[in-house]
Amino acid sequence: MKPTQSDPTVQPVPASVVATVDAADTTLSNPRWAVLALGANLGNRLETLQGAVDALGDTPGLRVKAVSPVYETAPWGVEPGTQPSYLNAVALVKTTLPPSSLLERAHAVEEAFHRVREERWGARTIDVDIITYADVVSEDPVLTLPHPRAHERAFVLAPWHDVDPAAQLPGLGAVADLLTALGSDGVTPRVDLELRLPE
């Protein structure tokens, strides 16, 4: 039986609810692209990287749109032979989260995989870095955008270029040119390993 206009259970939707829904829809229709770099050199590295990708995919307001091939690289900023090698990858995401919330989520993913921050450039189960967020340029010490050392890191530039050959690093130019200038010594493609997009 269809409700009639006099049915007391049928109430008009409050204007405040309509406004909230409209605002949310507007936000969702204007996501921003962000580039996240992932690295792991402790434990089951590939499993941890995949777990991080899946955890990002489970984040409300975030969709993982592409995941790069996997590279193996020597640890950066430490004496050779003092740490295990890293597996690195890059994820391209679309998100309605502001940069500060995206950073909080990145840290939450690290904590979920027991990331320990005892020393700079120390070994870690997982590292999730925000490389770029749209075209935002910020000197905020909590989250500097783009990542201040991305242009020096072939282990970021190589997988990023693979997944987005036309990528630009805001303020510094084409990723392809930066990678050519830097070279890719010590950054080895792991064609035997693969990350999948979240289902």
Side-chain angles (χ1 to χ4, degrees), residues 97-111 130 143:
L97 299 174
S100 59
S101 296
L102 184 58
L103 180 63
E104 288 176 6
R105 182 58 177 167
H107 286 168
V109 171
E110 291 177 342
E111 289 169 11
I130 301 174
L143 177 58

Side-chain angles (χ1 to χ4, degrees), residues 83-153:
Q83 287 185 24
S85 61
Y86 275 84
L87 291 185
N88 293 98
V90 162
L92 304 185
V93 306
K94 270 190 163 182
T95 184
T96 57
L97 299 174
S100 59
S101 296
L102 184 58
L103 180 63
E104 288 176 6
R105 182 58 177 167
H107 286 168
V109 171
E110 291 177 342
E111 289 169 11
F113 288 94
H114 311 295
R115 161 74 186 272
V116 176
R117 296 175 181 275
E118 292 181 344
E119 59 179 310
R120 192 179 192 193
W121 297 322
R124 68 284 309 264
T125 52
I126 187 67
D127 194 18
V128 182
D129 284 335
I130 301 174
I131 304 302
T132 63
Y133 181 96
D135 294 323
V136 173
V137 176
S138 169
E139 297 294 333
D140 185 338
V142 176
L143 177 58
T144 304
L145 291 169
H147 191 288
R149 291 175 295 280
H151 65 288
E152 303 171 349
R153 297 178 169 181

Side-chain angles (χ1 to χ4, degrees), residues 48-94:
T48 300
L49 288 180
Q50 185 62 62
V53 170
D54 291 343
L56 290 167
D58 286 339
T59 305
L62 187 152
R63 293 290 177 270
V64 180
K65 304 299 286 186
V67 181
S68 75
V70 177
Y71 283 78
E72 187 154 17
T73 64
W76 200 85
V78 299
E79 288 294 319
T82 60
Q83 287 185 24
S85 61
Y86 275 84
L87 291 185
N88 293 98
V90 162
L92 304 185
V93 306
K94 270 190 163 182

Side-chain angles (χ1 to χ4, degrees), residues 8-34:
T9 63
V10 178
Q11 299 292 328
V13 178
S16 60
V17 173
V18 173
T20 300
V21 171
D22 288 347
D25 187 58
T26 299
T27 301
L28 290 171
S29 67
N30 290 288
R32 302 293 189 94
W33 282 99

